Amino acid sequence: MRLDKFLKVSRLIKRRTVAKDVCTAGKVSVNDRVAKAGTEVAVGDEIAIRFGEKTLVVEVLDIKETVRANEADQLYRIIRQ
């Protein structure tokens, strides 16, 4: 699954266009490599997102095309905030 779509489906970022913009700005990395919106994400990957001074690091646990809002947090595990 594309990185921008995963960020949207998992609700780490609310909109896919915003996720794409954040990736384009170089604020997202997958497995310690700066990632573009089209980067493929797999189970076990580590995603780091920089929000200003803070960095959120999560591990991908599952990949689904669609998921309900109350189940979105089951797609990832927070490693560091």
Side-chain angles (χ1 to χ4, degrees):
M1 175 181 286
R2 289 174 53 103
L3 176 59
D4 59 343
K5 184 167 184 178
F6 178 80
L7 293 174
K8 185 245 183 219
V9 170
S10 65
R11 292 178 174 71
L12 288 167
I13 296 179
K14 299 291 184 192
R15 294 184 188 89
R16 190 167 176 180
T17 55
V18 174
K20 185 177 177 185
D21 293 342
V22 171
C23 292
T24 303
K27 295 183 179 184
V28 181
S29 61
V30 176
N31 298 327
D32 295 324
R33 296 177 128 173
V34 176
K36 295 182 180 179
T39 301
E40 288 294 316
V41 175
V43 174
D45 284 350
E46 193 174 285
I47 301 173
I49 310 165
R50 288 195 320 268
F51 296 104
E53 297 292 318
K54 296 184 178 185
T55 301
L56 174 66
V57 181
V58 299
E59 177 186 1
V60 179
L61 298 178
D62 196 5
I63 294 179
K64 294 183 181 179
E65 291 295 318
T66 59
V67 68
R68 294 178 178 214
N70 60 346
E71 299 170 349
D73 61 346
Q74 296 174 2
L75 298 179
Y76 61 89
R77 176 176 61 92
I78 297 175
I79 297 173
R80 199 169 52 243
Q81 278 186 320

